[in-house]
Amino acid sequence: MRRPLIGITAYAEPAGWAVWRDVPAVLVPQAYVRAVTAAGGRAVVLPPDDTDADVLRVLDGLLLAGGADVGPERYGRPPDPRTESRPDRDAGELALLNAALAADLPVLGVCRGMQLLAVAHGGALHQHVPDLVGHDGHRPAPGVYGAHPVRFAPGSLAGTTMAGVDRVNSYHHQAVADPGSLTATGWADDGVVEAVEDRKRRFLLGVQWHPENDIDPRPVTALVRAAGQPTSPMGGLR
């Protein structure tokens, strides 16, 4: 049997390698690819592209990666001066996400990806978490991950997936204020939403932390497993 194909949404940023500096590039941290591969999947990098979502026809699951802020115009709020959005990612990823939802394709949202899930389901975001909680623990310094306690709703997908885990990593300055039609099922000790889900779907989970950087990236493993499950002849885009 072939490995489940997992599309990972990518960054479009200036990058440097070898002799090249500040070259416009499409990239994704290898940690995402490594986590998908370790779980038995095959990673497919998806650059920002809002022309169509036809690529989903060959994918078994979608991973919405972290990155820059979701544009506040997407949830009807004026921009905070500290918000840094990427309209090309918003447009391309929302096109993919809406098509994936229509097909009931397994979806995992990580950090920004969880926030995008909430926005796509009619929710809204806090644009700067320190203003909400009064500390910088969710993003201690540029390029430095924090860590904090977490709790999950008993019996939830997040709680089942993360059974026995009571602490997660952290690197974000925005957070879900309103999950829309999704259900919040995980929280940090300061009340910040750490997980959202929809149990009526095959697999739809958003996590605010970065499981791809954990030794045991359970949410990524759960996505790959769900993507590898057979569907009914009438289901999906195939």
Side-chain angles (χ1 to χ4, degrees), residues 113-187:
M114 182 184 100
Q115 297 164 14
L116 196 70
L117 281 174
V119 170
H121 286 82
L125 307 180
H126 294 293
Q127 291 188 57
H128 196 59
V129 170
D131 291 348
L132 175 70
V133 299
H135 63 80
D136 294 315
H138 290 271
R139 190 177 68 174
V144 176
Y145 283 86
H148 56 73
V150 67
R151 63 182 177 87
F152 300 104
S156 65
L157 175 59
T160 301
T161 301
M162 301 300 292
V165 174
D166 60 6
R167 195 170 184 84
V168 293
N169 63 38
S170 181
Y171 191 78
H172 63 102
H173 86 114
Q174 299 203 331
V176 170
D178 173 8
S181 61
L182 297 178
T183 301
T185 56
W187 302 267

Side-chain angles (χ1 to χ4, degrees), residues 1-218:
M1 293 179 63
R2 71 170 177 82
R3 291 179 287 171
L5 295 177
I6 307 299
I8 305 175
T9 57
Y11 300 55
E13 302 283 352
W17 65 93
V19 299
W20 310 107
R21 296 292 181 271
D22 294 325
V23 178
V26 170
L27 53 88
V28 66
Q30 189 182 12
Y32 288 102
V33 176
R34 184 170 58 243
V36 166
T37 302
R42 172 67 183 232
V44 179
V45 176
L46 304 175
D49 183 347
D50 64 351
T51 302
D52 56 52
D54 286 356
V55 68
L56 294 183
R57 294 184 182 275
V58 299
L59 297 180
D60 301 299
L62 178 65
L63 196 165
L64 301 169
D69 303 324
V70 178
E73 70 278 1
R74 297 285 180 177
Y75 49 95
R77 301 286 174 85
D80 183 281
R82 295 159 294 191
T83 294
E84 298 182 6
S85 60
R86 297 291 186 276
D88 57 337
R89 283 196 68 180
D90 291 349
E93 291 174 18
L94 283 169
L96 287 172
L97 176 55
N98 288 331
L101 294 174
D104 200 19
L105 200 72
V107 177
L108 172 65
V110 171
C111 197
R112 165 196 158 85
M114 182 184 100
Q115 297 164 14
L116 196 70
L117 281 174
V119 170
H121 286 82
L125 307 180
H126 294 293
Q127 291 188 57
H128 196 59
V129 170
D131 291 348
L132 175 70
V133 299
H135 63 80
D136 294 315
H138 290 271
R139 190 177 68 174
V144 176
Y145 283 86
H148 56 73
V150 67
R151 63 182 177 87
F152 300 104
S156 65
L157 175 59
T160 301
T161 301
M162 301 300 292
V165 174
D166 60 6
R167 195 170 184 84
V168 293
N169 63 38
S170 181
Y171 191 78
H172 63 102
H173 86 114
Q174 299 203 331
V176 170
D178 173 8
S181 61
L182 297 178
T183 301
T185 56
W187 302 267
D189 54 340
D190 57 15
V192 169
V193 174
E194 291 289 324
V196 297
E197 61 188 70
D198 183 348
R199 292 301 296 271
K200 297 187 296 293
R201 294 186 173 275
R202 283 177 61 199
F203 183 93
L204 181 65
L205 177 64
V207 299
Q208 185 57 69
W209 70 95
H210 283 268
E212 76 280 3
N213 288 327
D214 288 338
I215 296 174
D216 181 8
R218 297 185 190 185

